[in-house]
């Protein structure tokens, strides 16, 4: 079939008005990996892996999404330390979490199933109490009770979760005439600390990938690191910087997340201005079982139907420039 071309104006309009296509969208399962590196080491000093299932439903015109987090592994082993076992118990109580989602993939982050979470926690707390008993654990249970019974506290705690921060980051937005826009990305790079606001440039690519996705990239500006990143007794002239790069892949058919890759760096600078990595975190989300796209066909209304080719306006003689196709703008 002959490749279709669109005018630049039409392609701009399509790219700036992408919405989630719910028709035929099935629950999506992801593998998630978080790796922590020190300096330039290739082997992570710490690693956490888990799975998330996302199920989007539209009921009476309102979008709700259920996120279920399970199968957590710490440094590639199932929870066996006491703190890991208790963290796993809280996770099993918290998930699945239901919240709202709109056609642009954004959420109010309001929890819709708080009563279910409270009931699950009561059951899991009872199981843990049968196996472990101490005054320290009684205090832990008392703190957990207060937090889990408070819907606003749980909602605030979700903003300390990387998956939550990145999955609901606004990316189906207006990118203007040149496919990029300045925006902010909030990411909780330190547990239990308020998310850091990264300002940067977000770009949408109009050329689809070979694995049936389109790519949106966020690259932050360099900023000085907050004080809690500094080692104790560091010299007065010791300066740390932080930066963030994120690549979002969404499928061409439903415009729903497939993969997310984020690299957060903490670094100093050599005298020549080059980076000297102090710490690094790599966060990866990848869709499990994405082979079903192989036989899919793009809608004629898709912004990616042309493969990114756009037709130039007529030349000064009044003829269309069908021979010359502009492939970047």
């Amino acid at each position: 079939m002959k490749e279709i071309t669109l005018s630049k104006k039409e392609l701009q309009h399509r790219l700036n008005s992408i919405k989630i296509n719910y028709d035929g969208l099935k629950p999506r399962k992801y593998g998630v990996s978080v790796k922590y590196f020190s300096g330039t080491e290739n082997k992570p000093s710490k690693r956490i892996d888990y799975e998330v299932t996302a199920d989007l439903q539209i009921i009476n015109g309102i979008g709700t999404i259920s996120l279920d987090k399970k199968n957590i592994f710490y440094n590639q082993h199932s929870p066996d330390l006491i703190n890991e076992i208790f963290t796993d118990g809280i996770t099993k109580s918290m998930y699945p979490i239901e919240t709202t989602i709109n056609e642009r993939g954004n959420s109010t982050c309001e929890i819709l199933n708080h009563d279910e979470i409270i009931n699950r926690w009561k059951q899991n707390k009872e199981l843990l109490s049968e196996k472990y008993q101490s005054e320290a654990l009684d205090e832990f249970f008392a703190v957990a009770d207060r937090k889990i019974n408070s819907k606003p506290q749980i909602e605030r705690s979700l903003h300390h979760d990387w998956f939550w921060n990145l999955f609901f980051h606004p990316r189906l937005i207006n990118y203007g005439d040149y496919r990029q826009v300045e925006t902010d990305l909030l990411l909780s790079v330190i547990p239990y600390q308020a998310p850091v606001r990264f300002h940067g440039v977000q770009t949408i690519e109009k050329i689809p990938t070979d694995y049936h996705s389109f790519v949106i990239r966020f690259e932050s500006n360099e900023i000085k690191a907050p004080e809690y990143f500094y080692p104790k007794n560091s010299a007065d002239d010791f300066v740390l910087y932080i930066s963030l790069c994120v690549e979002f892949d969404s499928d061409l058919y439903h415009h729903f997340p497939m993969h997310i890759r984020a690299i957060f760096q903490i670094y100093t600078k050599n005298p020549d201005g080059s980076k000297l990595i102090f710490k690094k975190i790599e966060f990866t989300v990848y869709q499990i079982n994405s082979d079903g796209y192989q036989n899919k066909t793009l809608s004629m209304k898709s912004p990616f139907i042309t493969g990114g080719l756009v037709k130039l306006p007529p030349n000064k003689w009044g003829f269309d420039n069908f021979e010359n196709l502009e492939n970047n703008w």
Side-chain angles (χ1 to χ4, degrees), residues 243-294:
S243 65
L244 175 69
C245 293
V246 188
E247 189 170 283
F248 303 93
D249 281 74
S250 298
D251 70 274
L252 295 168
Y253 314 100
H254 299 289
H255 309 146
F256 199 72
M258 284 179 67
H259 316 301
I260 302 172
R261 291 171 288 274
I263 297 178
F264 167 69
Q265 293 182 330
I266 310 170
Y267 54 92
T268 60
K269 289 187 177 182
N270 293 312
D272 62 358
S274 59
K275 290 182 181 180
L276 182 61
I277 303 298
F278 183 66
K279 290 182 181 297
K280 181 174 69 170
I281 302 175
E282 292 185 0
F283 180 88
T284 306
V285 177
Y286 54 93
Q287 182 183 344
I288 299 172
N289 297 328
S290 58
D291 297 337
Y293 302 126
Q294 299 302 321

Side-chain angles (χ1 to χ4, degrees), residues 38-55:
S38 296
T40 57
E41 293 181 357
N42 293 323
K43 185 178 180 180
S45 56
K46 178 182 175 183
R47 174 173 178 169
I48 301 173
D49 298 270
Y50 55 91
E51 295 177 353
V52 174
T53 300
D55 185 7

Side-chain angles (χ1 to χ4, degrees), residues 56-105:
L56 172 61
Q57 298 290 329
I58 298 179
I59 302 173
N60 297 326
I62 298 175
T64 62
I65 189 167
S66 171
L67 296 174
D68 193 7
K69 181 178 181 180
K70 58 179 58 176
N71 297 331
I72 302 176
F73 279 71
Y74 298 90
N75 294 323
Q76 298 184 294
H77 64 79
S78 57
D80 53 10
L81 300 177
I82 189 68
N83 62 316
E84 295 172 352
I85 291 171
F86 276 41
T87 299
D88 190 57
I90 290 178
T91 300
K92 288 178 178 177
S93 305
M94 292 279 290
Y95 291 87
I97 286 181
E98 294 178 6
T99 188
T100 59
I101 187 171
N102 65 16
E103 59 191 0
R104 293 294 183 116

Side-chain angles (χ1 to χ4, degrees), residues 200-243:
V201 175
Q202 191 161 298
T203 306
I204 184 169
E205 296 292 334
K206 68 178 187 289
I207 307 293
T209 70
D210 292 337
Y211 46 93
H212 300 252
S213 77
F214 64 95
V215 178
I216 294 171
R217 292 186 179 87
F218 174 86
E219 293 191 17
S220 80
N221 300 331
E222 174 183 271
I223 57 177
K224 288 188 176 181
E227 289 297 324
Y228 49 72
F229 284 112
Y230 282 74
K232 292 181 179 179
N233 303 319
S234 57
D236 293 338
D237 60 349
F238 182 72
V239 181
L240 283 175
Y241 302 89
I242 58 176
S243 65

